[in-house]
C-alpha cells in the first residue's frame, strides 16, 4: 500500500486539470455541506479527486472530536487537513465547528485542489489550499496548527514524525489507518516495517492494532519531548482512528513512555498478560497451561478512551446535523463504557470452542460476571466481546457453570 502511495504522489502531482461537464460530476450532501467531484467508477488512491462515502462516519465523529477539543482548550483553533481530496473534510471543519480560525487543505493533486476551491466557493467558506507533499506541508508550517488531521489512503506512519515536529503544546493529532491487515497481524512484515511493532492476529487484534498505532505515535513524538493523552479511539469497518492530545515536557514524556509495552497471549488456554516497558522481560511459556506464549508490541498499554472527552462529544452530537447521528452515538456510548475497562477482551464463542462446550447466552455471561463482582463491559470491537478483569480461568469456570 505504501509503495503505491509514494507513486501516486508523483502521478497526482502531474494530473492535468480539465473541465468536467455537469453530467460527469456527482453532487452529495454531507453534514451541512454540498460537494461536487468527478464520478469515478472506483474509490481508490489512483483517483485524482478522492471522495470516499464510507468515511462519512469517520468525518462525523471527527466533527465532534474537534469541537470537543476546541471547547477544552477554549480558543480559536487552526486546522490542517493533510490529504484534502475533494476538500469535504476541511470544508466541513470550517463550516460546522465553532471557534475555527484558519483551515489549510493540502493535496498533491492540482485537480483535487481545483475541486476544493470549487467546493469552498459552493459552501461559502474561506480555506487555504496548498499543493505540497504531505511532509513538506508539515515541515514548512512548524507550530502553525492546533489540529493536524492525517487521513491518508493507507498508513499514516510516514507522516507522524513531521506531525511531531510541527505540533505545539496542547494541540490535537488525528490519525486514521486503513492498513488494518498489517496492524491486525494478517501481514506481519509490513507492520514491523511501518510501525516497528510485532502484531498478533488474536480475537482482540483490532484493539491491538489501535494500541500499536498509538504506541508508534507516542514513541515518534517522544524524540521532540512531546507526549500524548489519548482522547478517543475506535475501529470501524476498514479503518482505525485515534485522537491524541499532544503535550510537552521531557520528564512528563519519560513518564508517559512507561505506558509502552507488550501483550503476551496463549492461544491454547487464552491466558493473556501485560508487560510494560520497551525492554520488558516476557515469559516464554504460559504459567497456566505451559504452552508457548506469543507476544505483540511494542504498543500503548495506557487508556485509549477518555470518559470526560467522550461525554463532551455526546453532548455536542445533540447540537449537530449529522446523517449518521444514531450510529455515531452508539459508538460513543460504547467507547465511553470501555474507558475504565481493562485492555483486551474475550470472545465468548472462542472461549467455548477452547472448552469444547456450547455457548451460553451472551447476556447471562455478562450478568454473571457482574454478580461475581468483576468488571464486565461490552466492546465496540466485537458483538461477542466482553472486557473483564476476571482471569481466563475465572471466566471459563463461569461459562462452564452457565452451560450446564
Amino acid at each position: 500500500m505504501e509503495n503505491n502511495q509514494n507513486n501516486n504522489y508523483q502521478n497526482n502531482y502531474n494530473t492535468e486539470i480539465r473541465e468536467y461537464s455537469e453530467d460527469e460530476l456527482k453532487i452529495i450532501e454531507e453534514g451541512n455541506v454540498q460537494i461536487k467531484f468527478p464520478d469515478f467508477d472506483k474509490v481508490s488512491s489512483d483517483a485524482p479527486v478522492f471522495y470516499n462515502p464510507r468515511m462519512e462516519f469517520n468525518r462525523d465523529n471527527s466533527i465532534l472530536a474537534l469541537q470537543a477539543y476546541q471547547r477544552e482548550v477554549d480558543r480559536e483553533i487552526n486546522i490542517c487537513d493533510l490529504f484534502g481530496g475533494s476538500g469535504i473534510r476541511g470544508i466541513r471543519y470550517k463550516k460546522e465547528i465553532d471557534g475555527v480560525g484558519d483551515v489549510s487543505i493540502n493535496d498533491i493533486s492540482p485537480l483535487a485542489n481545483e475541486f476544493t476551491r470549487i467546493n469552498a466557493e459552493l459552501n461559502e467558506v474561506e480555506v487555504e489550499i496548498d499543493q505540497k507533499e504531505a511532509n513538506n506541508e508539515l515541515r514548512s508550517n512548524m507550530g502553525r496548527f492546533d489540529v493536524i488531521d492525517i487521513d491518508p489512503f493507507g498508513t499514516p506512519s510516514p507522516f507522524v514524525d513531521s506531525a511531531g515536529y510541527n505540533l505545539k503544546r496542547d494541540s490535537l493529532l488525528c490519525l486514521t489507518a486503513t492498513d488494518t491487515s498489517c496492524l491486525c497481524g494478517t501481514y506481519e512484515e509490513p507492520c514491523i516495517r511501518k510501525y516497528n511493532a510485532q502484531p498478533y492476529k488474536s480475537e482482540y487484534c483490532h484493539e491491538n492494532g489501535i494500541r500499536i498505532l498509538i504506541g508508534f505515535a507516542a514513541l515518534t513524538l517522544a524524540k521532540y519531548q512531546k507526549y500524548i493523552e489519548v482522547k478517543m479511539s475506535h475501529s470501524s469497518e476498514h479503518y482505525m482512528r485515534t485522537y491524541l492530545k499532544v503535550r510537552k515536557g521531557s520528564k512528563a514524556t519519560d513518564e508517559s513512555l512507561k505506558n509502552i509495552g507488550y501483550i503476551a497471549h496463549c492461544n491454547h488456554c487464552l491466558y493473556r498478560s501485560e508487560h510494560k516497558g520497551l525492554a520488558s522481560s516476557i515469559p516464554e511459556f504460559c504459567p497456566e497451561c505451559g504452552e508457548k506464549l506469543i507476544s505483540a508490541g511494542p504498543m500503548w498499554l495506557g487508556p485509549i478512551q477518555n470518559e470526560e472527552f467522550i461525554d463532551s462529544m455526546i453532548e455536542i452530537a445533540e447540537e449537530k446535523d449529522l446523517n449518521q447521528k444514531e450510529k455515531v452515538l452508539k459508538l460513543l456510548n460504547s467507547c465511553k463504557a470501555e474507558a475504565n475497562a481493562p485492555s483486551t477482551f474475550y470472545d465468548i464463542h472462542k472461549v467455548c470452542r477452547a472448552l469444547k462446550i456450547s455457548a451460553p447466552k451472551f447476556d447471562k455471561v455478562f450478568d454473571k460476571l457482574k454478580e461475581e463482582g468483576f468488571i464486565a463491559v461490552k466492546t465496540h470491537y466485537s458483538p461477542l466481546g466482553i472486557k473483564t478483569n476476571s482471569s481466563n480461568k475465572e471466566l471459563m469456570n463461569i461459562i462452564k457453570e452457565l452451560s450446564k
Side-chain angles (χ1 to χ4, degrees):
M1 181 72 75
E2 74 277 13
N3 291 333
N4 291 336
Q5 198 169 40
N6 292 332
N7 291 336
N8 287 332
Y9 280 141
Q10 192 62 41
N11 293 339
N12 288 339
Y13 188 86
N14 295 324
T15 302
E16 293 185 6
I17 298 177
R18 70 174 181 87
E19 291 189 8
Y20 286 82
S21 68
E22 290 299 318
D23 291 340
E24 295 177 288
L25 297 179
K26 191 171 184 178
I27 300 178
I28 60 98
E29 292 186 6
E30 185 179 299
N32 292 338
V33 305
Q34 283 190 332
I35 296 292
K36 286 183 179 181
F37 60 96
D39 191 8
F40 294 102
D41 293 333
K42 183 181 178 182
V43 172
S44 77
S45 58
D46 294 325
V49 182
F50 183 59
Y51 170 77
N52 189 345
R54 294 176 64 192
M55 296 299 274
E56 179 179 5
F57 180 66
N58 180 317
R59 290 185 284 268
D60 282 355
N61 277 293
S62 300
I63 294 289
L64 304 179
L66 267 62
Q67 187 70 80
Y69 163 73
Q70 186 275 330
R71 292 185 181 181
E72 183 175 278
V73 297
D74 193 26
R75 66 169 185 262
E76 191 174 78
I77 59 174
N78 298 323
I79 303 170
C80 173
D81 176 13
L82 196 59
F83 296 92
S86 63
I88 187 167
R89 183 179 291 269
I91 290 169
R92 286 192 66 185
Y93 287 167
K94 182 68 175 178
K95 190 156 187 173
E96 298 180 36
I97 300 175
D98 299 326
V100 171
D102 296 334
V103 173
S104 176
I105 302 177
N106 179 73
D107 203 289
I108 198 68
S109 164
L111 182 60
N113 291 331
E114 175 63 14
F115 273 91
T116 295
R117 183 191 63 75
I118 291 169
N119 288 323
E121 290 178 359
L122 179 65
N123 290 280
E124 299 179 335
V125 297
E126 291 186 9
V127 296
E128 180 179 315
I129 303 170
D130 292 328
Q131 186 192 345
K132 294 179 183 175
E133 189 276 329
N135 285 299
N136 289 340
E137 169 73 357
L138 296 176
R139 294 279 172 175
S140 61
N141 286 288
M142 181 180 180
R144 177 184 169 192
F145 305 118
D146 299 281
V147 177
I148 293 176
D149 195 322
I150 303 179
D151 183 33
F153 196 89
T155 176
S157 65
F159 317 106
V160 174
D161 193 287
S162 295
Y165 171 85
N166 180 294
L167 285 165
K168 55 190 176 184
R169 190 188 305 270
D170 293 334
S171 52
L172 189 71
L173 176 60
C174 313
L175 296 176
T176 301
T178 61
D179 55 336
T180 56
S181 58
C182 82
L183 283 165
C184 289
T186 302
Y187 303 107
E188 293 185 1
E189 289 81 3
C191 188
I192 295 168
R193 178 171 11 100
K194 291 187 279 188
Y195 299 100
N196 305 326
Q198 174 71 50
Y200 175 59
K201 193 172 177 61
S202 65
E203 60 270 32
Y204 49 88
C205 62
H206 285 84
E207 180 176 347
N208 272 3
I210 283 181
R211 291 184 180 277
I212 286 172
L213 173 63
I214 295 171
F216 173 78
L219 288 167
T220 303
L221 268 62
K223 69 179 73 174
Y224 299 107
Q225 299 180 42
K226 296 172 184 177
Y227 65 99
I228 61 169
E229 293 177 3
V230 188
K231 291 299 188 179
M232 190 260 184
S233 307
H234 66 100
S235 176
S236 301
E237 296 184 1
H238 64 291
Y239 66 91
M240 298 170 184
R241 177 77 163 169
T242 189
Y243 303 91
L244 311 174
K245 190 170 184 180
V246 178
R247 312 297 289 270
K248 195 167 184 181
S250 56
K251 287 185 178 179
T253 299
D254 294 341
E255 187 66 26
S256 174
L257 290 182
K258 292 178 181 178
N259 287 301
I260 299 292
Y262 301 81
I263 288 178
H265 179 91
C266 177
N267 204 32
H268 179 70
C269 72
L270 307 186
Y271 165 87
R272 72 283 306 268
S273 58
E274 290 185 2
H275 302 271
K276 289 189 175 181
L278 265 177
S280 177
S281 177
I282 304 171
E284 187 176 356
F285 298 101
C286 176
E288 296 191 357
C289 73
E291 291 291 322
K292 191 173 178 65
L293 289 173
I294 303 165
S295 62
M299 65 175 71
W300 181 263
L301 296 178
I304 59 173
Q305 311 291 358
N306 182 295
E307 189 172 3
E308 185 178 348
F309 188 83
I310 295 172
D311 266 333
S312 179
M313 290 177 67
I314 292 170
E315 180 183 332
I316 292 165
E318 301 298 340
E319 308 167 5
K320 300 291 186 183
D321 293 325
L322 305 172
N323 292 342
Q324 302 196 35
K325 182 180 290 188
E326 185 176 335
K327 183 180 176 183
V328 166
L329 287 172
K330 182 179 178 181
L331 172 69
L332 291 178
N333 280 294
S334 182
C335 290
K336 177 185 172 182
E338 295 177 46
N340 298 311
S343 59
T344 80
F345 61 88
Y346 292 91
D347 182 295
I348 298 304
H349 282 190
K350 185 159 186 176
V351 173
C352 292
R353 283 196 297 271
L355 292 171
K356 298 179 181 179
I357 60 175
S358 298
K361 288 186 177 179
F362 180 84
D363 288 339
K364 285 188 176 182
V365 179
F366 187 80
D367 293 340
K368 186 64 175 176
L369 281 165
K370 285 190 166 183
E371 186 183 310
E372 295 290 331
F374 295 112
I375 294 172
V377 174
K378 296 176 183 178
T379 174
H380 80 279
Y381 298 106
S382 168
L384 297 172
I386 292 182
K387 283 181 167 285
T388 180
N389 60 342
S390 76
S391 69
N392 61 314
K393 277 188 175 180
E394 289 165 330
L395 176 62
M396 286 180 172
N397 287 336
I398 286 174
I399 290 175
K400 283 190 286 188
E401 182 183 336
L402 291 174
S403 69
K404 293 177 182 178

